[in-house]
Amino acid sequence: MKPGVDMIIQQIPELPGADEIFEKYIPGRLKFLLSSPQTKHLSIRQVIKYSKGSIPMDYIEKLDAALKARFGTTYLTDAEKEKISRYRQLASSVRKPYAAPVQRHAFYPGQPITDTEGKRIHAHGGAILEEDGFYYWYGENKEFTDGTSDIWTWGVKAYRSTDLYNWTDMGQIIDPVLDDPDSVLFPDMRIDRPHILKNDRTGKYVCWIHLAGKVSGFLIMQADSFLGPYEIVDPCYRPEGYDAGDFDLVKDEDGTAYLYYDIQHSTVIGMKLTADYLQVAETV
């Protein structure tokens, strides 16, 4: 983790002595913040910002400096070191095909869908983009998610087809980050439902991904090609301060794009995106 005011509240107990530093600058609040589902996933910076003046904003710099002076700019717990080692071993492993390659001419309900090499397809929570005579099916790579490990998603994969039956593995279009537990692309962070739009004005492919777990927001990335590489534009974008929920992106024929998503499973709102598709312009 990276000690400082961008730490998530629930990370504070993981740093021996960080709670004492927090209490020095923001006394009497840590226990409440840790016990509240609404605040324990926020960063210290967000808590100060949302306190509406009850916590002076100048505490951000003081608290940030105190935490970094005590722990440095990077601190890995033993658990994080173990995860990094394990994830690197998985990355170097060779995944064998699940079945013999087969040419498909139909869908087979109830059977696993395999690619042209006979491997299970991993494009979960995904979508399909059509371009230049090809269908691209992309989504969360769950090949290392077995229900018992802490791996939520291993980046984003894509497959290509001309008939929707036979899918060729095009590899990772967004790789996991294996050496930084604070990265939103670390395998145990919760990234869901990638959506990609091509922006005809800029020529860029813009990807929005739902973030849950330790942080809640949207990971926004863009690339010059659908297959990547994608670069992070904003690691945790929160339109108008809202948490991110289930969502979709749509593009009108004139190129105008919209974001639709639910807020705390109670309200669905629509927002028009900026011309570059990287932010929200207004609520519609």
Side-chain angles (χ1 to χ4, degrees):
M1 68 181 69
K2 294 180 174 61
V5 293
D6 290 313
M7 288 174 54
I8 306 303
I9 292 296
Q10 65 182 10
Q11 290 181 327
I12 294 175
E14 299 176 23
L15 283 178
D19 55 344
E20 298 174 4
I21 297 175
F22 186 91
E23 285 290 331
K24 178 181 177 180
Y25 291 93
I26 310 177
R29 301 203 185 190
L30 183 57
K31 184 176 180 181
F32 166 77
L33 293 171
L34 287 169
S35 64
S36 170
Q38 285 74 35
T39 57
K40 68 179 182 180
H41 297 307
L42 296 177
S43 69
I44 300 174
R45 185 189 301 275
Q46 288 172 321
V47 167
I48 295 175
K49 180 180 177 181
Y50 298 154
S51 69
K52 298 181 179 180
S54 63
I55 304 174
M57 289 296 291
D58 61 358
Y59 279 24
I60 288 181
E61 293 184 4
K62 295 178 181 178
L63 181 54
D64 190 59
L67 287 168
K68 289 177 179 176
R70 176 74 176 272
F71 302 104
T73 56
T74 302
Y75 182 94
L76 293 178
T77 64
D78 290 340
E80 289 172 337
K81 292 176 182 177
E82 188 277 330
K83 284 183 180 180
I84 290 173
S85 175
R86 179 156 43 89
Y87 294 163
R88 286 175 175 168
Q89 290 177 358
L90 283 176
S92 63
S93 66
V94 178
R95 305 295 285 178
K96 297 180 180 179
Y98 288 86
V102 60
Q103 183 73 18
R104 296 181 181 273
H105 303 284
F107 296 112
Y108 300 94
Q111 297 182 24
I113 303 177
T114 56
D115 62 21
T116 52
E117 296 179 358
K119 297 180 295 185
R120 285 179 184 264
I121 286 179
H122 286 283
H124 304 268
I128 292 179
L129 180 147
E130 183 181 4
E131 184 173 70
D132 297 332
F134 290 101
Y135 298 101
Y136 291 93
W137 178 8
Y138 62 92
E140 308 153 28
N141 181 1
K142 299 284 192 180
E143 65 178 311
F144 296 118
T145 305
D146 59 9
T148 61
S149 75
D150 45 20
I151 296 175
W152 182 262
T153 307
W154 196 266
V156 177
K157 287 196 73 170
Y159 300 81
R160 187 173 72 178
S161 175
T162 57
D163 57 14
L164 299 177
Y165 298 130
N166 299 283
W167 294 93
T168 300
D169 186 350
M170 303 302 291
Q172 298 277 142
I173 61 173
I174 298 175
D175 289 317
V177 172
L178 304 181
D179 58 358
D180 183 1
D182 288 326
S183 170
V184 291
L185 291 172
F186 197 62
D188 67 355
M189 298 289 271
R190 294 186 58 172
I191 65 169
D192 299 309
R193 307 176 189 90
H195 289 296
I196 298 174
L197 294 180
K198 182 179 181 181
N199 190 313
D200 296 322
R201 297 185 184 92
T202 64
K204 299 286 188 178
Y205 292 80
V206 179
C207 179
W208 286 53
I209 301 177
H210 172 239
L211 301 174
K214 294 179 182 178
V215 295
S216 178
F218 291 107
L219 164 61
I220 301 176
M221 309 181 76
Q222 67 177 1
D224 294 323
S225 165
F226 168 74
L227 294 176
Y230 284 82
E231 296 182 351
I232 293 178
V233 176
D234 194 324
C236 187
Y237 180 57
R238 295 163 60 89
E240 298 185 5
Y242 294 121
D243 288 343
D246 298 337
F247 80 105
D248 199 3
L249 295 180
V250 297
K251 183 172 71 170
D252 278 349
E253 292 181 358
D254 66 0
T256 304
Y258 299 89
L259 164 71
Y260 292 91
Y261 74 107
D262 84 87
I263 300 174
Q264 298 179 339
H265 301 296
S266 63
T267 302
V268 175
I269 64 174
M271 293 181 164
K272 180 181 177 181
L273 300 186
T274 52
D276 57 14
Y277 300 173
L278 300 178
Q279 298 182 63
V280 163
E282 60 179 324
T283 300
V284 294

